[in-house]
Amino acid sequence: MKTERFTAPLPHEGFVRLPQVLHVLGIGKTTFWDGIKTGRFPAPIKLGPRTAVWLVDDIRGLIARISESGPG
């Protein structure tokens, strides 16, 4: 399995893949997928049967909501 590392911030626009989303949020896959199921996190956009992406604007909005609500 290939491990991707991201040091750059989110791009200004476009899509991001799961490894970058997890990196900027600082959470694991299980937590993120559970958050999608409960509606806390944005659902992916499927580009193909094995390709999921998220809009950068959706991830930025999620970060803003988390920052406003505080920990927990």
Side-chain angles (χ1 to χ4, degrees):
M1 178 186 252
K2 182 176 142 184
T3 300
E4 297 182 46
R5 296 194 183 267
F6 297 96
T7 57
L10 289 172
H12 292 288
E13 58 185 28
F15 300 109
V16 288
R17 300 284 305 270
L18 182 61
Q20 190 168 12
V21 172
L22 297 176
H23 175 78
V24 298
L25 295 177
I27 60 174
K29 282 187 210 180
T30 302
T31 301
F32 188 68
W33 288 112
D34 287 347
I36 290 170
K37 288 179 188 175
T38 63
R40 181 171 183 218
F41 300 148
I45 297 168
K46 297 292 281 184
L47 298 181
R50 295 176 48 106
T51 305
V53 296
W54 286 262
L55 285 169
V56 170
D57 288 342
D58 290 346
I59 300 305
R60 289 185 189 281
L62 172 60
I63 292 167
R65 284 193 311 275
I66 290 170
S67 295
E68 290 170 0
S69 67

